[in-house]
Amino acid sequence: MSFSIATWNINSVRLRLPLVLQILQQEKPDILCLQETKCPDDKFPYKAFRAAGYERIAVHGQKGYHGVATLSLRPFEEVEKKEFCNKHDCRHVAVVIKAGDKHIRIHNFYVPAGGDEPDPEINPKFRHKLDFLEEMKAIKADMGDGLSSILVGDLNIAPYENDVWSHKQLLKIVSHTPIETRTLIELCSQGGWVDLMRKKIPEPQKIFTWWSYRAKDWASSNRGRRLDHIWSSPDLVPHMQEMEILTEARGMEKPSDHVPVIMHFDLA
């Protein structure tokens, strides 16, 4: 049985609703996890997504900032929203779904960007990011309840050398500093997670999912970073099939600076 999950930082779900609907019609993932929806729960465009067939929707949003949403073709067995760092800034939602003979908990995360200065002593945004990652360590691939797990989202860190266009030039740039990359790699390994994107496309091959709005010609300069991730519990790795990074979405009219990533599984 085929099963697919997509993750996409949409940078305002209402502003870019036509783009999301286009990708849903084109790709038809079982699950779409959106980040940076910038939309309170009561203003979320439920009607448009349900008309597209995605009747199950779990949102955790707020006005103008942050926010995550998980859209599904499959029923939800559970929905959970966690708060981090006592900030109430809507950066996580988890659902449990059934696919084949697997019951899978799917975490959808939007990790804080961290501001511009990579010094937690003078930049409270960077301190928040590091504290958030520390609290994320409690989210394990195996929570002891018999469920498989998938963790996706905009984790706002490009952990490996070839997750950025220039390792040396970005070592002091937030998202690729040693403290961030080391922390995320530890979070993944110590939590029992498998980085499926790097399992599919190992180092030293480049993987990018984000290109800055500041680039005059993002495609030709190709100064990207891999800020978006798909992890899973080890039991799902043998079922992993195709991965798609929809780079063409960066060239849409009024695009997000991130592009969708889709992972396909065979759970027969």
Side-chain angles (χ1 to χ4, degrees), residues 157-264:
I157 298 171
Y160 296 107
E161 289 193 16
N162 291 291
D163 289 337
V164 295
W165 64 273
S166 173
H167 171 61
K168 290 183 179 179
Q169 293 184 66
L170 270 68
L171 278 171
K172 295 183 179 180
I173 301 300
V174 172
S175 80
H176 194 61
T177 65
I179 189 171
E180 294 172 273
T181 59
R182 182 175 63 250
T183 299
L184 192 70
I185 291 169
E186 289 176 354
L187 196 160
C188 183
S189 62
Q190 293 175 9
W193 298 99
V194 178
D195 179 347
L196 296 186
M197 295 175 69
R198 274 300 174 198
K199 193 77 174 176
K200 198 70 178 171
I201 304 178
E203 286 267 305
Q205 297 178 71
K206 295 281 190 185
I207 309 178
F208 302 152
T209 65
W210 173 91
W211 293 263
S212 174
Y213 285 133
R214 297 175 185 174
K216 291 183 179 180
D217 188 340
W218 69 272
S220 62
S221 63
N222 198 28
R223 294 188 170 190
R225 305 179 204 176
R226 179 175 73 120
L227 302 181
D228 305 274
H229 297 260
I230 301 179
W231 301 352
S232 84
S233 49
D235 66 298
L236 294 179
V237 174
H239 302 280
M240 179 176 58
Q241 301 291 311
E242 180 186 8
M243 181 180 75
E244 300 174 84
I245 300 174
L246 303 185
T247 306
E248 64 272 18
R250 184 61 180 82
M252 290 176 164
E253 185 176 356
K254 296 181 180 179
S256 171
D257 44 1
H258 297 251
V259 300
V261 182
I262 307 175
M263 192 68 69
H264 297 263

Side-chain angles (χ1 to χ4, degrees), residues 139-159:
I139 306 295
K140 307 289 187 181
D142 182 358
M143 298 299 287
D145 52 12
L147 298 179
S148 302
S149 297
I150 295 175
L151 187 155
V152 306
D154 176 5
L155 304 188
N156 260 315
I157 298 171

